[in-house]
Amino acid sequence: MGDPVTATMEELKCEFSDRVPIRSIISRGDGGSGLAGQKARIGGWVKTGRKADKDAFAFLEVNDGTCAGNIQVIVDASVGELGEVVMTGTCIVVDGLLKIPPPGTRQRVELRAQKLLHVGPVDPSNYPLPKTRLTLEFLRDFVHLRSRTNTISAVARIRNSLAFATHSFFNKHGFLYVHTPIITTSDCEGAGEMFQVTSLFSEAEKLEKELIQNPPPTEADVEAAKLLVKEKGDIVSQLKSDKASKQEIGAAVNELKKAKDNVTKVEERSKLKPGIPQNDGKVDYTKDFFARQAFLTVSGQLQVESYACALSSVYTFGPTFRAENSHTSRHLAEFWMVEPEIAFADLKDDMNCAEAYVKYLCQWLLDNCLEDMKFMVDKFDKGCIDRLEMVASTPFIRVTYTEAVEILEEAVKNGKKFENEVKWGIDLASEHERYLTEVRFQKPVIVYNYPKDIKAFYMRLNDDLKTVAAMDVLVPKVGELIGGSQREERLDVIQQRLKDIGLPPEPYEWYLDLRRFGTVKHAGFGLGFERMILFATGLENIRDVIPFPRYPGRADL
């Protein structure tokens, strides 16, 4: 595509669609006025529509999702049925002529329709998204349609931009993208709040239906099958005694074999019982699909570590799952994590990478998504662009966990009230994190060297034997955005940590092999992708920044 200001209409067309994206017209520096006099084909959905001049023509505000702005389309009654096209939600494809609107109007360019190529009509009595302002909570009941709203479409573009920036940042710094498994047999967090993956229930239901239609053999059936084997065996013996022909004996032996195979099948089928298979009173997972317990992953970290221990700098970016029965504005059952892992790196390297990554994301939005960010400023959070600029340009404060607790204790002495008690050894609550970053320092803060008892087994034990080389990146608005650590590379230490926490070593033997065979100092972190979008947009609820939210009681579509 040529320069957007001087490009011809043919150059502005979508490569895989015979239309011009609305963004290519109205997001130019001149607002599209430089294209006046050219013909264009656009497609989109009507945001608002109204008839004018005694139904002689209609004004339509049309949006195709490529940008926050709409293009005004003027349709004469001679071009199409105005009653159809003015309804909110209607899809239209239209050929027309771009024109400069009359002086004093908001638009820099408008489209005078010459031909309606497509109309996807809407029955306004049934369409659930009228042009009145709707709450984000209301829209969660219509996740299949809510992307047509200004807010959710803006969030989608911001989310896309942050995802692209993520791959751009890590590619720029020599990281390889690794796809880690969604189904796992190990619990990275050790909290046990995992969704189980099993085929036992569906298999049990199928078996139950099958046994009703075709009941299992009785003991008498089994005995009858065994008796038939004896009879067939006696026939073979008799034929051999009578020195019958090889052909006769062979045929009898085949009959005997069939009878024996039938006994095996009848005996196996007679043991079938409806319900979940059990062994010694416990669920028999050897009969499950994977022949062992399996879960949806809570993190790709452990698996991506195996690639860091061979390819040096890697990252994974994918969905993770937590079966935590939480209804807060910060929790989802399915969410996305960005998890880099760096070999030959310590905690300081880890913090440097995390800070650089967050700064990069913030600057990327300022450079590439400013229109949508301005929409967020206008509708939701007056300070979200200022916040991005501050984080992108400000060195992060770094304090130890012990220093952070001392700061919080001092705040309590001076009259600050927290709902959660402040003392050394606690896991910092969101209110503590936000106090540090919003009140005390008024900038991003990295807290490091946490007590070992509140952190995962894989984090490197410090020389004081009380803390581990863990770090959290705290930012205004959301508190913890990133959690990471230097990993424990010493085999004996990590074995003891597993034992202390009470985790069985068997599922982690492969993970311990990374320490047995060519162990290496390495570090990494995880960024909650939806939390980054909350931080960027200023929205309050995490359910509004993921396309299809899953939370207790809801898994629509």
Side-chain angles (χ1 to χ4, degrees), residues 164-177 313 315 353 356-357 359-361 363-364 367:
F164 189 88
T166 291
H167 293 300
S168 174
F169 174 83
F170 289 112
N171 186 64
K172 176 183 175 184
H173 291 285
F175 285 71
L176 291 178
Y177 181 28
S313 295
Y315 73 105
C353 181
Y357 172 46
K359 287 176 177 292
Y360 188 90
L361 292 181
Q363 191 61 52
W364 185 279
D367 293 342

Side-chain angles (χ1 to χ4, degrees), residues 32 88 124 129 169 188 215 224 378 421 471 486 492 522 524:
T88 297
L129 305 181
F169 174 83
C188 175
D378 182 48
E421 183 185 7
M471 65 90 180
Q486 183 176 339
D492 57 336
H522 61 291

Side-chain angles (χ1 to χ4, degrees), residues 377-394:
V377 168
D378 182 48
K379 301 297 183 184
F380 293 99
D381 185 350
K382 301 297 182 191
C384 62
I385 288 180
D386 292 339
R387 192 165 58 244
L388 289 177
E389 290 174 339
M390 181 271 289
V391 173
S393 61
T394 305

Side-chain angles (χ1 to χ4, degrees), residues 205-250:
E205 287 178 4
K206 281 197 292 186
L207 177 61
E208 188 172 0
K209 289 179 182 176
E210 202 271 331
L211 290 178
I212 291 172
Q213 295 172 353
N214 187 12
T218 63
E219 286 187 26
D221 294 329
V222 175
E223 289 304 316
K226 289 180 177 178
L227 183 60
L228 184 61
V229 169
K230 185 177 184 308
E231 289 174 357
K232 298 293 184 184
D234 290 344
I235 291 172
V236 171
S237 298
Q238 187 61 48
L239 288 172
K240 287 181 177 178
S241 176
D242 294 343
K243 296 185 179 179
S245 67
K246 284 185 179 180
Q247 189 174 1
E248 286 182 292
I249 294 172

Side-chain angles (χ1 to χ4, degrees), residues 4 30 43 61 83 125 135 147 155 187 227 231 295 303 309 321 332 336 343 352 415 423 445 450 454 519 539 548:
D30 61 8
E61 290 289 322
S125 64
T135 66
S147 53
V155 170
D187 181 358
L227 183 60
E231 289 174 357
F295 308 90
Q303 288 84 356
C309 293
F321 307 85
L332 288 167
W336 284 63
N352 290 343
K423 65 177 182 179
V445 179
Y450 280 78
I454 61 172
T519 191
L539 294 181
F548 303 99

Side-chain angles (χ1 to χ4, degrees), residues 351-539:
M351 291 190 285
N352 290 343
C353 181
E355 179 172 344
Y357 172 46
V358 173
K359 287 176 177 292
Y360 188 90
L361 292 181
C362 293
Q363 191 61 52
W364 185 279
L365 287 182
L366 293 169
D367 293 342
N368 298 281
C369 236
L370 195 56
E371 182 187 21
D372 287 313
M373 289 308 307
K374 286 179 178 177
F375 173 85
M376 291 297 163
V377 168
D378 182 48
K379 301 297 183 184
F380 293 99
D381 185 350
K382 301 297 182 191
C384 62
I385 288 180
D386 292 339
R387 192 165 58 244
L388 289 177
E389 290 174 339
M390 181 271 289
V391 173
S393 61
T394 305
F396 291 9
I397 295 291
R398 300 186 185 189
V399 297
T400 66
Y401 169 88
T402 300
E403 291 168 338
V405 169
E406 290 171 352
I407 291 168
L408 294 169
E409 287 176 333
E410 186 66 27
V412 171
K413 286 179 184 176
N414 293 331
K416 173 66 180 173
K417 295 188 183 302
F418 294 111
E419 290 184 13
N420 298 274
E421 183 185 7
V422 176
K423 65 177 182 179
W424 200 95
I426 63 163
D427 198 359
L428 298 181
S430 179
E431 60 175 336
H432 303 142
E433 295 167 343
R434 294 187 66 173
Y435 175 83
L436 291 170
T437 187
E438 294 174 10
V439 179
R440 177 61 177 83
F441 294 109
Q442 298 181 7
K443 61 182 67 175
V445 179
I446 303 180
V447 179
Y448 63 98
N449 287 349
Y450 280 78
K452 68 173 184 178
D453 292 337
I454 61 172
K455 289 296 182 181
F457 73 92
Y458 51 75
M459 298 185 177
R460 195 180 200 279
L461 189 64
N462 287 327
D463 292 342
D464 61 12
L465 304 182
K466 296 194 308 178
T467 62
V468 288
M471 65 90 180
D472 288 342
V473 178
L474 314 180
V475 294
K477 185 70 182 172
V478 299
E480 182 190 339
L481 179 63
I482 283 177
S485 70
Q486 183 176 339
R487 316 310 189 188
E488 183 56 77
E489 84 281 9
R490 298 165 295 185
L491 178 62
D492 57 336
V493 177
I494 199 168
Q495 285 176 322
Q496 187 60 45
R497 290 280 285 144
L498 279 169
K499 186 176 180 181
D500 293 343
I501 291 173
L503 288 174
E506 291 79 14
Y508 301 96
E509 283 301 324
W510 68 269
Y511 188 67
L512 298 179
D513 277 351
L514 303 178
R515 280 73 182 165
R516 292 187 181 101
F517 310 128
T519 191
V520 62
K521 176 177 71 174
H522 61 291
F525 61 81
L527 172 137
F529 195 59
E530 284 73 29
R531 288 197 175 192
M532 180 65 206
I533 303 170
L534 283 180
F535 164 74
T537 62
L539 294 181

